[in-house]
Amino acid sequence: MTELASRLDDVAQRFDAAVDRANDEQALESVRVAYLGRNGEVTTVRRAIGTLAHNERPAAGKLINDAVAAMERRLQAAYEELESRSFDAELATSIDVTFPSIRRPAGSIHPVRRIIEESCAYFVRHGFAVVIGAEVEPDYYNFDALNIPNDHPAREGFDSFWISDTLLLRPHTSPMQIRTMQEHRPPIAIVAPGKCFRRDAVDARHLFQFHQVEGLLVAEGIHFAHLKGMLTGLCRELFGEQQNVRFRPSYFPFTEPSAEVDTTCPKCKGAGTLKSSPMGCNMCGGSGWIELGGAGMVHPNVLREVGYDPDRYSGWAFGFGVERLGLARYEVDDIRRFTKSDPGFLAQLS
Ligand code: DAH
């Protein structure tokens, strides 16, 4: 028995030394096979149990099992140690965990979308509903119902993309006035943002595809001052508190009276001059005002067309060019920049 114990001791010591020497997984595996494998050293010692007296055998078996368990733990620890060492080595040679990572550029909301969202939010806060219409509409909704009959010269102002004799890409968002009023009884309070299309030559101020925000309020007792108040509020929302709005007499077939709407030039703050430029403000051309679009009191013919009694109801409407708002708000010199997906330009505005 003592002889078996000392042989076991010897095996264990040599095993420890062998494990210490093994410096890769393959070497560890050969140590395992040599000592703990089916024909390994421990098995040889185990066979010697047969030579012991019967009463000594259980104790000898336990001795060997304990030694095997210890060896297995030792082996496991060695494997883990090797693994973590090789991971460290890999980190050291191939990955510098302190190296700053590449910053993925985050997208930004397009300025046109932002202006639409902010305009709608302003009107929604005042109880308006947002309505979205089709981009292709019959001429009835684009013209006839808006008091622009077939032979009306105002049609010339809307040089449109026609799809058939009666269908066209809408040149303005005003069809949504008719669609909404035909579907609902007054009071009506809506904003209708969306794409519009005109056969315009593209330059720094014109696009053939652009966006408008349309607004319409119809109820009893509505008058021009309501329009003025709401549009002044909109401009202050978009440009800041110093903003004013001015109305210039104009003509639209669907409103009477009609006005062209300007807001204080955000660049020169209405002065028309800039310290940096003796030529006058290049944003507004020296006038101190930026043109945003048209507005007016809904024409009685339009109200009649949708079955509203013009003696009872009145309303205001407006249509603003979103890209025009963008030019003023972001002090951009060329409207075409809004159509190019230049991430640098867009990020600058966000
Ligand atoms: N639809 C007009 C245009 O695109 C703009 C406009 C003017 C809209 C007056 C209106 C309005 O609602 O009342 O030129």
Side-chain angles (χ1 to χ4, degrees):
M1 175 69 181
T2 42
E3 195 215 324
L4 183 137
S6 71
R7 270 178 68 190
L8 200 53
D9 238 18
D10 173 55
V11 168
Q13 270 177 32
R14 282 186 291 111
F15 169 83
D16 280 347
V19 169
D20 281 344
R21 276 195 308 274
N23 47 17
D24 59 32
E25 276 190 36
Q26 223 182 335
L28 268 187
E29 177 59 13
S30 350
V31 174
R32 191 189 65 77
V33 171
Y35 287 85
L36 298 167
R38 200 141 42 95
N39 299 312
E41 302 235 12
V42 173
T43 306
T44 315
V45 179
R46 208 188 280 281
R47 285 205 188 103
I49 292 181
T51 65
L52 296 176
H54 273 286
N55 61 350
E56 283 181 336
R57 287 183 192 178
K62 182 169 185 323
L63 205 61
I64 293 173
N65 288 344
D66 288 349
V68 165
M71 289 161 90
E72 276 171 351
R73 278 197 302 275
R74 177 77 216 283
L75 203 58
Q76 182 59 31
Y79 269 117
E80 282 164 15
E81 159 86 21
L82 259 187
E83 205 174 320
S84 94
R85 237 191 295 152
S86 77
F87 184 63
D88 286 346
E90 202 177 311
L91 278 186
T93 57
S94 60
I95 302 169
D96 177 356
V97 291
T98 66
F99 196 78
S101 62
I102 297 165
R103 249 181 105 159
R104 302 274 163 214
S108 53
I109 294 178
H110 193 279
V112 166
R113 188 184 180 92
R114 189 181 290 263
I115 289 172
I116 289 175
E117 281 177 357
E118 286 182 19
S119 306
C120 288
Y122 165 79
F123 282 103
V124 165
R125 230 167 50 227
H126 288 85
F128 286 61
V130 177
V131 293
I132 304 292
E135 287 163 14
V136 175
E137 286 276 24
D139 51 359
Y140 170 78
Y141 288 99
N142 277 304
F143 302 126
D144 301 75
L146 288 162
N147 200 30
I148 319 175
N150 210 353
D151 53 359
H152 198 290
R155 285 210 183 193
E156 307 267 306
F158 298 98
D159 198 356
S160 303
F161 293 103
W162 289 83
I163 287 169
S164 72
D165 285 347
T166 54
L167 270 184
L168 62 153
L169 291 173
R170 66 175 178 193
H172 54 175
T173 39
S174 301
M176 284 316 289
Q177 294 188 20
I178 305 302
R179 294 232 176 241
T180 310
M181 288 192 286
Q182 280 181 346
E183 260 175 54
H184 303 278
R185 299 301 305 160
I188 297 274
I190 56 142
V191 264
K195 279 196 191 98
C196 301
F197 309 83
R198 286 189 204 176
R199 290 174 38 142
D200 278 337
V202 173
D203 62 26
R205 300 254 142 196
H206 296 88
L207 297 169
F208 56 79
Q209 180 196 296
F210 54 98
H211 296 77
Q212 284 189 343
V213 172
E214 187 89 12
L216 173 72
L217 178 72
V218 183
E220 286 180 48
I222 297 300
H223 53 75
F224 205 92
H226 295 135
L227 171 62
K228 195 164 183 189
M230 283 305 289
L231 292 185
T232 305
L234 174 65
C235 288
R236 292 192 174 156
E237 177 98 357
L238 294 176
F239 298 100
E241 277 308 310
Q242 75 291 345
Q243 219 54 28
N244 276 322
V245 167
R246 115 181 145 171
F247 291 79
R248 281 179 289 116
S250 184
Y251 173 77
F252 298 101
F254 31 94
T255 42
E256 181 58 37
S258 302
E260 214 95 46
V261 185
D262 301 338
T263 190
T264 323
C265 172
K267 188 159 186 181
C268 65
K269 312 278 181 260
T273 54
L274 287 175
K275 277 201 200 91
S276 57
S277 154
M279 306 282 289
C281 175
N282 55 354
M283 183 88 240
C284 59
S287 72
W289 297 94
I290 298 279
E291 186 182 318
L292 298 179
M297 299 306 291
V298 181
H299 198 288
N301 287 352
V302 175
L303 295 176
R304 249 181 245 118
E305 179 69 28
V306 297
Y308 289 9
D309 177 2
D311 291 327
R312 182 168 172 202
Y313 297 108
S314 55
W316 55 248
F318 74 88
F320 283 178
V322 177
E323 282 82 358
R324 290 290 173 86
L325 288 164
L327 285 179
R329 169 148 169 188
Y330 298 109
E331 296 180 18
V332 172
D333 56 357
D334 191 326
I335 203 165
R336 286 169 287 196
R337 302 202 71 170
F338 291 125
T339 66
K340 311 235 161 73
S341 301
D342 171 0
F345 168 73
L346 296 175
Q348 216 181 321
L349 302 188
S350 71

